[in-house]
Amino acid sequence: AKRLEKLGAPAGTGMWVIRVLNPDGSRRGRRTNAHKVDLNRNGTHLWQPTARGPEYYPGPSAASEPETRAYIAFLEAVKPDVVLIYHQRGNGVDSYRQKNAGLTQGLAERRKLPVKSFDCLGECRGTLAGWFNTSQAGAALTVERPAKVTTKRVKRWAKAARWSIGYV
């Protein structure tokens, strides 16, 4: 995020970088927020009250969490062409329910990561990408970082993210 902010948006475009969507979980080193809700299962698209484990708890209802409502409000107001969502340790660019195959392939090539389908073992419900891709005009992609992050990779990834802004 810092490297991308340093590069800035391509001429004639805008860019917003949200460094952490889940500050509670980030501080605690876990995927859930302070209410023990997995924000990537709390969105409105295909939300379901069950999960395969407590770390994937989707919350008591769709968009029950303030973080979820905040990202929905922000993205509906800004209406971006591209949304990149970063997760860790999956090592790939997600093609599951992709909206723009050229964007997926181009970003994967530039990041030097494989294109993979991360279908959440059939439980991709309430995800930010799912909500965005079915309710907004732009395209959202989930990028799963590999376990090892180097300075060289970070530089390449920031350039790839910047490329995606101008792609669509």
Side-chain angles (χ1 to χ4, degrees):
K2 289 178 189 177
R3 178 67 63 174
L4 183 56
E5 289 170 339
K6 194 175 192 177
L7 287 174
T13 68
M15 176 179 70
W16 293 264
V17 176
I18 300 172
R19 290 188 183 187
V20 178
L21 191 61
N22 180 6
D24 302 329
S26 181
R27 276 192 297 275
R28 291 177 176 85
R30 64 183 197 205
R31 67 181 291 128
T32 58
N33 71 355
H35 302 128
K36 297 188 175 154
V37 173
D38 178 354
L39 299 175
N40 202 41
R41 301 292 184 274
N42 187 242
T44 58
H45 179 68
L46 299 176
W47 182 86
Q48 191 172 306
T50 59
R52 69 177 185 264
E55 69 274 18
Y56 301 105
Y57 173 58
S61 63
S64 62
E65 302 309 296
E67 301 94 335
T68 306
R69 292 189 302 274
Y71 80 64
I72 288 172
F74 174 77
L75 293 170
E76 285 179 339
V78 171
K79 300 189 184 322
D81 293 323
V82 177
V83 174
L84 300 179
I85 305 148
Y86 291 92
H87 292 193
Q88 52 192 347
R89 298 203 169 87
N91 193 43
V93 178
D94 191 9
S95 64
Y96 183 68
R97 295 187 179 158
Q98 68 187 342
K99 193 171 185 178
N100 186 318
L103 177 63
T104 303
Q105 189 62 42
L107 188 65
E109 287 170 7
R110 283 162 178 79
R111 289 184 64 100
K112 294 187 180 177
L113 289 175
V115 173
K116 293 182 178 180
S117 177
F118 294 96
D119 71 354
C120 316
L121 301 175
E123 205 176 274
C124 281
R125 302 177 179 281
T127 66
L128 190 164
W131 166 78
F132 191 86
N133 284 337
T134 57
S135 68
Q136 305 299 303
L141 276 178
T142 300
V143 179
E144 297 275 354
R145 295 182 338 200
K148 185 176 181 181
V149 177
T150 64
T151 301
K152 184 177 179 180
R153 282 182 169 171
V154 168
K155 288 178 182 178
R156 182 174 59 242
W157 296 344
K159 288 178 184 175
R162 189 175 188 272
W163 166 85
S164 72
I165 295 167
Y167 177 79
V168 178

